[in-house]
Amino acid sequence: MRMRLMIADRGAAEPISLGAALAAGKKVGPDVTRFLADDHRTVLGWFDWYEHVRDQGVRKELAARICAALRAHMGAEEDYLYPAAERHLRTPGLVERSLREHDSAKELIGQIESARTTDGAHPELMRRLRREIEAHVAEEENELFPAVRASSMDLYAIGRAVVARRAEYLFGRTGKSDGRLKEIPDMDSISQDEARHFFLVNLKNVHAAARDGRDMVAAQLKRIEQYPKLKQKLESHLGEKDAQLERVERILDRYGESPSKVKDTAMSLAAALGSAATMPAKDEILKNSLNMLALATYEAASYETLLLFGEAAGDVEALPELQKCVSEERGLASFIEDHLRSTGMQFLGLRSRGAQASH
């Protein structure tokens, strides 16, 4: 299965949409069968509205809304629910039948979208589409969904993915046609194999950077007695670095890269900053604050790149873990940047009194 749209966070550690929040695990996903059943009720209600309204403008809008909603609904099912059902169910024929019904409905939707009538959609085509959707809904809710609930499938994990994907399909169909205002790029032209290769390469690189970062934080903690707020933050971040290494190692392990076999090759920037952080100087605290700010920003950017590569590779399971790493590194960078002025003033005050100020 290939990921067609990018929905992972690409900013200051907060998702850019509901879809991104769900994919990153920052919002609880629904039971996929309950969510899709509710979606069925909504679109069938719109069909009722279409049949009873006489205003041609409203009819045209409703036809467009129904077609867009059905395409988003079916696309999300095909991307996530159906592949998962094929893996977990002993009756794959249910999925095959649903896919055939989707193809038939999409053909009618295409005819409706291209219709040129006074109300924007041929009423008979809309009635045929409703009949097909009602039959499909009955089969899904009476056969497929009960089988899914009885399986070992994680209904909430799939629900989170389906809701996120549905939101992105809808955005893609209702966004500005020039594409400049869309919040996500299309990923149809991206090779999943290439994405997987570079995802693994960059996992190893970020593991090296995270280990360098941990060593840098640990070294700083031994020489920072005069700056209690910064020390408290670094103590907390040291635990976060340990957690980051564990997360990355778990992902590597899933790819057959045992953490014990991963040899970290120090990346030039991370290694240089780590070395600079252990060199005593009269203004050591200032230099190290800048070095830690640079390294935290560098690591946050590295994790964000991994989010992109991981989703393009189809590794949705890794996204929530990597999102936590982004948030932690941006949190440290934000703290240090916010305290640069106070750290500098404290340094000057200690120096002016003849006290130890370097650390």
Side-chain angles (χ1 to χ4, degrees):
M1 176 186 66
R2 194 168 60 155
M3 310 293 290
R4 290 197 290 259
L5 297 170
M6 177 64 192
I7 57 178
D9 180 12
R10 301 169 308 174
E14 288 302 322
I16 55 178
S17 68
L18 172 61
L22 287 159
K26 292 195 171 186
K27 288 187 179 295
V28 177
D31 174 328
V32 64
T33 62
R34 306 295 182 191
F35 171 77
L36 292 173
D38 286 343
D39 221 18
H40 293 161
R41 303 283 84 71
T42 298
V43 79
L44 290 175
W46 288 345
F47 273 115
D48 285 337
W49 188 3
Y50 176 88
E51 290 176 4
H52 289 91
V53 73
R54 291 293 174 262
D55 185 285
Q56 301 305 322
V58 174
R59 272 199 154 197
K60 182 177 179 180
E61 174 61 28
L62 280 171
R65 182 182 298 186
I66 289 169
C67 290
L70 287 173
R71 285 193 182 275
H73 178 98
M74 291 187 290
E77 285 185 327
E78 291 169 10
D79 284 349
Y80 288 106
L81 176 63
Y82 292 172
E86 285 185 322
R87 292 193 300 270
H88 289 86
L89 301 186
R90 298 180 179 179
T91 52
L94 292 176
V95 173
E96 293 174 3
R97 185 173 63 190
S98 292
L99 286 170
R100 289 196 300 270
E101 291 168 353
H102 277 196
D103 289 341
S104 179
K106 288 176 187 176
E107 184 176 348
L108 280 172
I109 289 171
Q111 294 178 39
I112 291 167
E113 290 173 334
S114 61
R116 295 291 182 268
T117 61
T118 56
D119 65 354
H122 197 292
E124 178 55 32
L125 288 175
M126 290 295 289
R127 283 190 286 271
R128 286 176 56 194
L129 178 62
R130 174 170 188 157
R131 287 195 295 271
E132 294 213 3
I133 294 302
E134 286 178 333
H136 176 66
V137 165
E139 290 176 355
E140 274 198 339
E141 295 188 2
N142 294 324
E143 298 182 50
L144 179 62
F145 289 0
V148 165
R149 295 188 194 106
S151 74
S152 59
M153 188 189 306
D154 186 336
L155 300 181
Y156 295 93
I158 299 299
R160 183 171 64 243
V162 164
V163 175
R165 175 60 75 233
R166 175 182 172 279
E168 295 306 325
Y169 273 126
L170 284 172
F171 189 93
R173 295 193 64 80
T174 59
K176 296 296 183 179
S177 59
D178 62 11
R180 289 179 295 174
L181 298 182
K182 291 184 178 181
E183 64 174 337
I184 49 177
D186 293 336
M187 300 183 79
D188 282 330
S189 61
I190 293 176
S191 164
Q192 195 173 54
D193 290 337
E194 285 293 310
R196 187 178 295 110
H197 169 73
F198 284 102
F199 181 55
L200 185 56
V201 168
N202 281 276
L203 274 171
K204 295 176 181 178
N205 289 342
V206 88
H207 188 273
R211 189 169 294 282
D212 285 338
R214 189 201 182 284
D215 292 343
M216 182 177 177
V217 172
Q220 266 290 82
L221 280 171
K222 298 175 181 178
R223 301 175 56 79
I224 198 168
E225 296 301 326
Q226 298 295 331
Y227 302 85
K229 287 185 178 180
L230 183 56
K231 182 177 182 179
Q232 183 180 17
K233 179 61 178 177
L234 292 183
E235 286 174 340
S236 173
H237 193 63
L238 187 64
E240 292 175 341
K241 299 302 295 184
D242 289 334
Q244 288 175 23
L245 286 166
E246 290 177 3
R247 292 176 199 132
V248 174
E249 288 168 3
R250 281 198 299 271
I251 299 171
L252 283 167
D253 187 60
R254 288 198 287 105
Y255 283 85
E257 296 285 345
S258 173
S260 62
K261 296 180 181 178
V262 175
K263 296 181 179 180
D264 290 340
T265 301
M267 300 158 76
S268 57
L269 175 60
L273 293 174
S275 298
T278 61
M279 297 175 61
K282 290 183 179 180
D283 59 348
E284 176 185 339
I285 186 66
L286 302 181
K287 286 185 170 65
N288 286 348
S289 291
L290 296 176
N291 287 334
M292 285 189 293
L293 173 58
L295 185 57
T297 303
Y298 173 82
E299 289 191 41
S302 297
Y303 283 122
E304 286 179 354
T305 300
L306 275 177
L307 281 172
L308 170 65
F309 288 174
E311 186 162 3
D315 193 347
V316 179
E317 184 179 345
L319 298 186
E321 298 277 65
L322 295 173
Q323 181 63 57
K324 293 173 186 175
C325 299
V326 175
S327 298
E328 290 163 354
E329 289 305 315
R330 285 208 174 274
L332 178 63
S334 178
F335 179 91
I336 294 174
E337 188 171 13
D338 289 345
H339 287 77
L340 283 177
R341 183 182 293 267
S342 61
T343 298
M345 293 299 292
Q346 189 175 355
F347 168 79
L348 289 174
L350 290 168
R351 289 285 298 179
S352 297
R353 296 195 300 272
Q356 169 62 260
S358 62
H359 56 270

